[in-house]
């Protein structure tokens, strides 16, 4: 496959003089709170507020305390898609048990003008990044042939494991749609800490519908990619996290079922 | 086991206003360059200089480009122990392919006054931290009944895998010694990214000898522990790193052989 690639210039993420709490945020630096394995083991309550999260990035995805819906952060706006279809105002003191954000600075841009399914789309991004051992931030804005999403329900204590939760969540067929999908590609060796491979959420153009993408085909639109080599992981100092089993034997299969398409 | 524990007060690592590049460094925040799996796969050249490393911490361990010896950082001084026994001046523009540092702020202190072997020592630290899912920075200063270290030789290109290198490195029996051992405890789910379990280096009191600790027994001295919940990983943007296999099937066994005691 040959790509027409518009390079937007190399970004030296090392030269930034300050981090997210300073004056000059570092671009394309991944910040994540907690780990995917902790979420799988029902650590659904975190300490990080949404206000805090936005100090570390203007772009990303995650979920909310009590697993209350899917989070998508685009251009510094946090959207919450709850299972009941409500997408209301999101207060800044709301907390998250797992989220990944970055200050998105697309280094590469590519116009897609022929239909691509999930595999075809991922192959384009892989070729643009050309390095399986780094992370990437990915955004596609445009038309979709079909979109299939899932949104998790708010859970009550005692929390069930995530695989039990996901087994009960219906997927939604949005059909032909216009909107934005965004998220991250994570290298394989970070499985468990994050979701190895692609983890993307979707948001319709009017901002009214969205969720965790389980399947899709894109038709036409703009793909933007930022390569990430700097990762910050903030682990919770909660009792729940301390007690969690973060190295289960079935971690690959569990993440595939919980987050895969 | 009951511990006499002197708490030095809780440190809120979240409240720091700046990171290592700012005025107020965050204490007990782990910074690591590259990954252990990359080192295993012979990625022996990195881009991070020692001057840069000291901006992220005053305490830690690692190695040098071309795998040229063992690094120990104590109170902002970087020591290099080369296989030939030389421990000369270390220029700030020297680079490292793998290193872990923190601004060490011991939250817990414990006086050891009876002999403890490796397992006994680790059990004390585990009890002080009381959370298997967080990292810890560990320093013991005092008398040792025995110390066994290893120091890697500088390698020439094309680089052999680390298991081949380690198989050829002799261990050194230092016997009864006075000095400092320091390093990190890494949670199990970070195996490959770092070294799961304990990774400690040793430095004699006179600063003349030292290396990677493979076995030891402590006699008497001061143990200091800092709990780490904030981790920054800076991945290299080199060709070598891009091509490395960072998820080999035998990762647990390989790290045990390469870094274990």
């Amino acid at each position: 496959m040959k790509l027409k690639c518009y390079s937007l210039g190399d970004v030296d993420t090392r030269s930034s003089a300050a981090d997210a709490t300073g004056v000059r945020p570092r671009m394309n630096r991944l910040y994540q709170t907690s780990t995917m394995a902790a979420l799988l083991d029902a650590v659904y309550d975190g300490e990080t507020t949404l206000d805090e999260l936005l100090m570390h990035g203007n772009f990303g995805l995650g979920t909310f305390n009590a697993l209350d819906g899917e989070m998508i952060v685009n251009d510094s706006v946090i959207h919450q898609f709850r299972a009941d279809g409500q997408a209301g105002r999101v207060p800044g003191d709301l907390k998250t048990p797992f989220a990944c954000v970055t200050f998105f600075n697309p280094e590469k841009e590519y116009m897609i003008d022929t239909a691509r399914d999930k595999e075809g789309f991922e192959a384009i991004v892989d070729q643009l990044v050309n390095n399986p051992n780094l992370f990437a931030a990915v955004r596609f804005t445009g038309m979709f042939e079909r979109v299939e999403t899932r949104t998790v329900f708010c859970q009550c204590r005692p929390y069930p494991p995530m695989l039990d939760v996901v087994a009960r969540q219906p997927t939604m067929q949005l059909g032909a749609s216009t909107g934005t999908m965004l998220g991250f590609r994570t290298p394989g060796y970070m499985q468990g800490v994050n979701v190895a491979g692609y983890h993307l959420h979707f948001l319709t153009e009017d901002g009214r519908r969205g969720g965790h993408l389980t399947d899709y085909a894109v038709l036409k639109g703009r793909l933007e990619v930022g390569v990430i080599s700097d990762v910050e992981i903030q682990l919770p100092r909660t009792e729940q996290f301390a007690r969690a089993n973060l190295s289960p034997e079935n971690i690959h299969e569990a993440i595939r079922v919980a987050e895969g398409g």
Side-chain angles (χ1 to χ4, degrees), chain A:
Chain A
M1 176 176 28
K2 197 164 177 305
L3 301 179
K4 286 176 297 181
C5 173
Y6 308 90
S7 176
L8 302 182
D10 284 333
V11 178
D12 183 1
T13 57
R14 309 294 164 83
S15 64
S16 302
D19 77 347
T21 58
V23 181
R24 285 177 56 200
R26 285 193 207 153
M27 307 308 284
N28 293 336
R29 174 176 194 267
L30 179 67
Y31 168 90
Q32 78 169 69
T33 178
S34 192
T35 73
M36 186 59 213
L39 203 65
L40 280 176
D41 203 30
V43 182
Y44 298 153
D45 290 320
E47 297 169 311
T48 306
T49 66
L50 303 186
D51 282 342
E52 227 177 308
L53 197 65
L54 287 175
M55 292 172 62
H56 297 279
N58 58 6
F59 168 107
L61 49 75
T63 185
F64 301 88
N65 271 15
L67 211 64
D68 192 14
E70 306 286 341
M71 177 197 298
I72 185 165
V73 188
N74 195 20
D75 292 332
S76 294
V77 179
I78 298 185
H79 303 262
Q80 179 182 23
F81 295 102
R82 305 179 68 183
D84 60 5
Q86 305 276 344
R89 203 180 70 80
V90 188
D93 60 355
L94 205 64
K95 292 179 177 173
T96 171
F98 179 75
C100 304
V101 293
T102 190
F103 287 104
F104 187 49
N105 186 12
E107 296 165 57
K108 288 168 182 176
E109 190 173 320
Y110 178 72
M111 300 308 291
I112 292 181
D113 48 16
T114 52
R116 307 272 185 176
D117 63 5
K118 193 174 166 177
E119 287 66 37
F121 178 82
E122 293 179 359
I124 295 176
V125 178
D126 287 342
Q127 199 175 329
L128 287 173
V129 177
N130 194 27
N131 186 331
N133 291 330
L134 297 180
F135 290 71
V138 179
R139 180 165 63 188
F140 174 82
T141 313
M143 293 164 63
F144 293 73
E145 196 174 73
R146 59 188 162 83
V147 169
E148 185 188 279
T149 62
R150 189 208 62 205
T151 302
V152 284
F153 278 93
C154 177
Q155 299 298 309
C156 302
R157 290 168 176 273
Y159 290 144
M162 194 165 169
L163 285 190
D164 295 353
V165 173
V166 169
R168 294 194 306 267
Q169 315 293 301
T171 55
M172 229 179 351
Q173 306 293 338
L174 295 186
S177 305
T178 302
T180 298
M181 72 174 175
L182 65 80
F184 299 94
R185 190 201 69 171
T186 294
Y189 60 86
M190 284 284 184
Q191 182 74 303
V193 174
N194 204 311
V195 178
Y198 286 83
H199 183 188
L200 301 167
H201 284 192
F202 177 74
L203 172 72
T204 57
E205 196 175 21
D206 62 9
R208 294 194 160 189
R209 301 182 81 177
H212 174 88
L213 266 173
T214 50
D215 199 17
Y216 62 87
V218 303
L219 264 182
K220 191 181 171 175
R222 185 164 59 136
L223 164 63
E224 299 160 290
V225 178
V227 180
I228 292 174
S229 54
D230 190 2
V231 177
E232 176 169 4
I233 304 166
Q234 206 149 66
L235 302 167
R237 293 198 173 211
T238 60
E239 264 303 305
Q240 259 195 317
F241 185 82
R243 285 194 310 265
N245 175 11
L246 303 185
S247 309
E249 276 186 26
N250 66 339
I251 186 91
H252 285 276
E253 177 62 8
I255 291 181
R256 194 193 63 75
V257 172
E259 300 293 326

